[in-house]
Amino acid sequence: MVFCKIILNNKRIILLTDGVPSQADTLILAAADRAAVEKIVIDDIAFGSSVATNTQLANLMKQIASKTGGTFNSATGATALNQIFGALATQ
């Protein structure tokens, strides 16, 4: 499951996901490549324990952020999620 918030004037996507891909990795990375070409930064937030316990999923999320100049963050609870959103809001 993926939720996106797009801020058009900054060309930034905040990608909130449970980390479990619903598409093939190649399609996901192709979308990240397209975002990079369009100069859209993607900040990933993996919410829950799926990414924390699966390095393959974490690496996919890190690749998305890296390709677009974004950041990768992981949150297992609401407090961490609020802190991450707070930090992203100041960027």
Side-chain angles (χ1 to χ4, degrees), residues 60-74:
L60 176 61
M61 301 302 295
K62 289 175 185 176
Q63 285 180 56
I64 293 167
S66 177
K67 285 176 174 282
T68 64
T71 60
F72 168 73
N73 297 280
S74 183

Side-chain angles (χ1 to χ4, degrees), residues 5-7 10-14 40-41 43 70 88 91:
K5 177 183 177 184
I6 301 174
I7 303 171
N10 290 336
K11 292 185 131 185
R12 180 175 295 268
I13 297 173
I14 298 174
I40 300 171
V41 174
D43 293 302
L88 291 173
Q91 292 182 356

Side-chain angles (χ1 to χ4, degrees), residues 3-88:
F3 296 96
C4 294
K5 177 183 177 184
I6 301 174
I7 303 171
L8 295 177
N9 59 344
N10 290 336
K11 292 185 131 185
R12 180 175 295 268
I13 297 173
I14 298 174
L15 177 67
L16 176 62
T17 179
D18 61 2
V20 179
S22 57
Q23 300 289 325
D25 289 3
T26 54
L27 292 175
I28 294 168
L29 294 173
D33 287 336
R34 175 64 186 199
V37 167
E38 297 294 328
K39 298 189 185 325
I40 300 171
V41 174
I42 301 176
D43 293 302
D44 299 332
I45 304 172
F47 187 67
S49 61
S50 295
V51 173
T53 59
N54 187 323
T55 56
Q56 182 179 355
L57 292 175
N59 286 337
L60 176 61
M61 301 302 295
K62 289 175 185 176
Q63 285 180 56
I64 293 167
S66 177
K67 285 176 174 282
T68 64
T71 60
F72 168 73
N73 297 280
S74 183
T76 56
T79 301
L81 189 60
N82 283 332
Q83 290 172 342
I84 293 166
F85 271 115
L88 291 173

